[in-house]
């Protein structure tokens, strides 16, 4: 347990953030909600492909990574605070790819290519979803020091 606590303390001190600054970041972005919202995209896309959804999904909107809550944070206060941090830069890149692949699922479906839509959903999108959630989880640990947000 000491080694885990030491690792958490080391990770949180990488940013040199006080408890007050960490609390400010947690008010800006709820990491758990961001993870949950991005995990729900697989359900949304699956429902869309199977016709269980009446949601109007537009590839030209989905591909824009600055429209969701996480994207607004990444391109706003998150970038101001953490823009020089490698993990944040990786999150920015992975999140953009996440939205790109989600848009490609919808684009293939709308073009009538159900096989390609399913392939992208279960391969490229699934891989990208995991990468995005992994980055977000690591950033959460670094920002919060492992404390709940």
């Amino acid at each position: 347990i000491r080694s885990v606590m030491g690792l958490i303390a080391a990770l949180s001190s990488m940013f040199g953030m006080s408890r007050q600054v960490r609390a400010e970041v947690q008010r800006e972005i709820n990491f758990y909600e961001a993870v949950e919202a991005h995990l729900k995209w697989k359900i949304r896309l699956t429902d869309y492909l199977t016709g269980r959804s009446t949601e109007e999904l537009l590839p030209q909107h989905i591909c824009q990574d600055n429209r969701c809550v996480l994207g607004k944070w990444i391109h706003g206060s998150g970038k101001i605070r953490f823009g020089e941090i490698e993990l944040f830069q990786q999150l920015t890149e992975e999140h953009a790819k996440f939205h790109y692949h989600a848009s490609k699922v919808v684009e293939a479906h709308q073009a009538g290519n159900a096989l390609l839509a399913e392939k992208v959903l279960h391969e490229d999108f699934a891989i990208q979803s995991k990468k995005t959630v992994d980055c977000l989880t690591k950033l959460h640990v670094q920002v919060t020091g492992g404390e709940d947000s």
Side-chain angles (χ1 to χ4, degrees):
I1 289 186
R2 285 185 192 183
S3 63
V4 171
M5 295 305 287
L7 177 61
I8 289 171
L11 287 172
S12 65
S13 69
M14 288 176 68
F15 290 112
M17 293 188 310
S18 67
R19 279 192 180 274
Q20 179 181 350
V21 173
R22 288 195 313 253
E24 288 172 14
V25 172
Q26 289 172 310
R27 281 190 294 275
E28 293 170 6
I29 183 76
N30 182 312
F31 289 99
Y32 291 119
E33 288 177 4
V35 166
E36 186 177 278
H38 286 77
L39 290 175
K40 285 182 178 178
W41 264 100
K42 184 170 185 185
I43 296 167
R44 288 174 74 185
L45 292 170
T46 300
D47 287 350
Y48 183 74
L49 296 183
T50 60
R52 288 190 305 254
S53 172
T54 58
E55 185 176 9
E56 183 180 0
L57 296 178
L58 303 172
Q60 64 270 28
H61 290 168
I62 296 169
C63 71
Q64 296 175 21
D65 70 320
N66 62 348
R67 295 174 60 101
C68 66
V69 172
L70 176 60
K72 289 175 182 175
W73 180 76
I74 287 173
H75 293 285
S77 61
K79 184 176 184 177
I80 293 167
R81 286 186 192 274
F82 306 117
E84 300 301 316
I85 306 296
E86 184 177 342
L87 180 57
F88 182 83
Q89 293 168 1
Q90 183 182 0
L91 172 63
T92 302
E93 182 179 320
E94 301 299 354
H95 182 250
K97 290 177 185 177
F98 171 94
H99 280 273
Y100 170 81
H101 289 299
S103 73
K104 290 300 178 187
V105 171
V106 174
E107 192 175 274
H109 178 75
Q110 290 177 354
N113 194 337
L115 289 176
L116 179 59
E118 287 287 335
K119 182 180 187 316
V120 174
L121 175 66
H122 295 293
E123 293 177 11
D124 299 336
F125 175 79
I127 291 166
Q128 200 55 51
S129 180
K130 183 180 180 338
K131 287 180 179 181
T132 301
V133 168
D134 286 351
C135 280
L136 190 53
T137 303
K138 288 175 187 173
L139 186 63
H140 170 255
V141 169
Q142 287 188 359
V143 167
T144 64
E147 298 170 1
D148 287 339
S149 56

